[in-house]
Amino acid sequence: AQAWQKRRNQEAFIARLNQAETEAAATQVWIEFAVLCGYLDAEIGQELHHEYQQVLADLARLIEHSAAWVVEP
């Protein structure tokens, strides 16, 4: 939502998308820790990890094609 509101400035838009990408990757690490510590079932952890891989791929595509999403003021 924060990135979407920054679409009037491509650099700000990309910066927010990069931040979202970093947070998604951090969430993957926490999922791994949760599985290793026994707080989360391994199968569920694997499913969540896969979902976050898809989120990361989608964010990468948005960053790569950010110009198409920028709205001129």
Side-chain angles (χ1 to χ4, degrees):
Q2 290 177 355
W4 197 249
Q5 294 302 315
K6 298 288 184 182
R7 289 179 302 135
R8 287 180 179 80
N9 179 297
Q10 188 170 5
E11 289 179 19
F13 182 52
I14 290 171
R16 289 295 183 176
L17 291 171
N18 282 328
Q19 184 179 10
E21 194 175 36
T22 301
E23 291 176 13
T27 300
Q28 279 186 309
V29 172
W30 283 112
I31 291 168
E32 291 174 30
F33 282 140
V35 170
L36 291 173
C37 292
Y39 296 120
L40 186 63
D41 178 72
E43 186 176 327
I44 293 171
Q46 186 175 18
E47 290 173 19
L48 289 171
H49 191 274
H50 176 73
E51 291 293 325
Y52 272 91
Q53 277 302 114
Q54 186 61 49
V55 168
L56 287 165
D58 292 343
L59 287 167
R61 276 191 295 281
L62 277 170
I63 292 166
E64 186 176 328
H65 302 288
S66 62
W69 296 99
V70 174
V71 176
E72 295 298 323

